[in-house]
Amino acid sequence: MDHFQYRDGQLYCENLSVAALAEKFGTPLYIYSQATIVGVLKSLQTAFAELNPLVCYSVKANSNLSILKVMQEAGSGFDVVSGGELYRVQKSGGQPGRTVFAGVGKTDEEIAAGLNAGVLMFNVESEAELDAIVRVAKNLGKVAPVALRVNPDVDPKTHRYISTGKKESKFGMDIDRSLALGQAIVGNPNVSMIGVHMHIGSQITTTEPYAGAAGKAVTLIAQFREMGHPISWFNMGGGFGINYRGNEAKAIEEFAKVIVPVIKPTGCHIAMEPGRVIAGNSGILVSRVLYTKQSGEKRFLIQDAAMNDLIRPALYESFHRIWPVSVPKGFPAPPADYEAEIEGTQHWDVVGPVCESGDFLAKDRSLPALDRGDLIAVFSAGAYGMVMSSNYNTRPRAAEILVDGDTARLARRRETYEDLVEQELAAIGAPGALG
Ligand code: LLP
């Protein structure tokens, strides 16, 4: 359960009023609930306890240092896909020895940084990348721990942009190639193959794709072991889906039920790289209505969050629940069933100030009548929200707040115009050189 609840028609994050936070910190504003983040982590650790799991929180979902710190204090490891994310993990006190280094295009510098930091293992995406890892490890006089990322060729039944485990994906390698590569590195002194990695996609709401992938992993683990590789890890990647609308995603326990019995006989530890399931429903984006406008039959709610703050609706046509922070009299808390027509609502396109027709947070959405100054909450925005934000239209990025019980901490201050031009001023000389 997340910790964003309505009390007497007012939205709260844990014990704090969202309206009061918006008043204090301004809008657009990302608000995260620490109890939700830690709660999901605990649910994962419990559901997979039989496999001695290492949860490697996928930093890409939300890489704010305060969140990484909360995660590492709660016992999480990390999944990073760049030198930058590894740097963040180290800055927040995370342990490289509990960090897996993934990513389809690691540079030599990033590989060296991973080796020097002592990451748990590299997820290897191609033969050429393994060559690079071996070469860099040799130069540094090290042995690189690796897991081959294998495409089990299962259909995760998710949006095409976030499906990765099919044969034609740019990620990983198919089973035959992984076996050939496994054979080729037998006895190589600079690499130790300790795991098998699979990640089949993101926002997966059913258990079947995982069952299929886990079954293939078991066979592969046995084959690699026969070659002499000391495989002790199965990294099942991330991908657990969340409820954006209502009840569409299977619970964590349901995923565990199909995965644990299949992997248990291998004796492997399980590593996993969940991002969305941890951060997604732990965060909301709060914005303030600027104007309402009618064009023909269409009603527009123009508010101060835009595609630069949350690009998911524009990029994936993804659905985020939206509801007023203070529910007008006579209306319920946000309805679980969004397809239902709620009495008294009107249809709105919820749009931002950016100069693009693609700048919308929702289309044709049933909402109570709202007016200038009203606050709305965009739910399930904690994952792939702030991390995918930009400064398009020279819009300063939103502030981020982390709530813990009845305290709120600024996790990232709102950007200023000065922040936005700083690098450019530095490039052309001393500040003020334009004049
Ligand atoms: N591991 C690997 C190798 C990945 O590629 C990803 C996500 C994850 C773990 C974490 O997956 P999660 O548990 O969060 O599903 N921007 C998109 C999602 C892109 C996911 C990319 N890879 C969105 O907003 O839906």
Side-chain angles (χ1 to χ4, degrees), residues 6-299:
Y6 281 86
R7 296 183 203 159
D8 296 329
Q10 297 296 319
L11 181 60
Y12 277 75
C13 174
E14 303 195 16
N15 299 330
L16 295 180
S17 143
V18 167
L21 290 173
E23 205 54 58
K24 178 164 180 199
F25 295 102
T27 54
L29 181 69
Y30 275 101
I31 302 178
Y32 308 120
S33 152
Q34 182 163 326
T36 312
I37 295 171
V38 174
V40 181
L41 174 66
K42 298 284 175 222
S43 307
L44 287 163
Q45 288 165 334
T46 307
F48 288 90
E50 273 188 73
L51 297 178
N52 197 3
L54 176 61
V55 176
C56 293
Y57 167 63
S58 195
V59 172
K60 68 173 82 64
N62 188 325
S63 59
N64 186 287
L65 292 179
S66 297
I67 288 184
L68 300 186
K69 185 156 181 285
V70 164
M71 290 300 292
Q72 82 88 17
E73 283 171 358
S76 186
F78 297 97
D79 154 41
V80 300
V81 293
S82 68
E85 287 189 350
L86 179 60
Y87 176 79
R88 280 182 179 274
V89 165
Q90 291 179 293
K91 277 274 173 202
S92 64
Q95 299 166 37
R98 290 164 69 78
T99 299
V100 295
F101 200 147
V104 75
K106 303 175 190 76
T107 64
D108 282 10
E109 291 72 24
E110 288 175 318
I111 295 167
L115 284 167
N116 286 329
V119 295
L120 175 61
M121 59 188 137
F122 292 92
N123 298 338
V124 178
E125 305 251 2
S126 64
E127 293 88 339
E129 184 199 327
L130 190 59
D131 284 348
I133 291 176
V134 168
R135 174 170 42 76
V136 176
K138 197 170 174 192
N139 286 342
L140 294 173
K142 291 189 186 283
V143 181
V146 301
L148 298 189
R149 175 170 179 177
V150 181
N151 269 330
D153 199 26
V154 297
D155 184 355
K157 301 202 165 51
T158 184
H159 191 283
R160 65 188 192 288
Y161 283 11
I162 51 178
S163 162
T164 53
K166 305 251 316 261
K167 234 182 183 152
E168 59 272 23
S169 148
K170 82 169 172 182
F171 300 100
M173 56 194 95
D174 64 44
I175 290 182
D176 290 343
R177 294 177 73 162
S178 74
L179 286 169
L181 188 54
Q183 197 60 59
I185 57 171
V186 170
N188 187 313
N190 293 108
V191 60
S192 172
M193 194 166 126
I194 60 168
V196 168
H197 176 247
M198 287 180 179
H199 170 83
I200 52 181
S202 194
Q203 184 56 11
I204 299 171
T205 53
T206 58
T207 56
E208 293 79 23
Y210 282 103
K216 293 191 179 182
V218 170
T219 312
L220 206 54
I221 289 166
Q223 287 167 308
F224 285 140
R225 281 178 172 163
E226 239 162 66
M227 292 175 195
H229 294 296
I231 307 286
S232 57
W233 288 95
F234 172 55
N235 182 343
M236 53 172 277
F240 295 150
I242 61 168
N243 294 325
Y244 281 101
R245 286 170 187 267
N247 237 339
E248 65 267 37
K250 285 268 187 279
I252 286 167
E253 294 71 23
E254 299 294 316
F255 287 108
K257 243 187 239 165
V258 303
I259 297 164
V260 171
V262 181
I263 299 300
K264 186 131 198 242
T266 66
C268 281
H269 296 298
I270 200 163
M272 61 185 86
E273 304 169 345
R276 187 191 316 266
V277 77
I278 290 174
N281 279 325
S282 301
I284 61 171
L285 173 62
V286 180
S287 69
R288 202 178 278 283
V289 176
L290 296 170
Y291 303 103
T292 59
K293 168 172 170 175
Q294 190 141 6
S295 267
E297 288 300 290
K298 272 224 163 289
R299 281 198 189 83

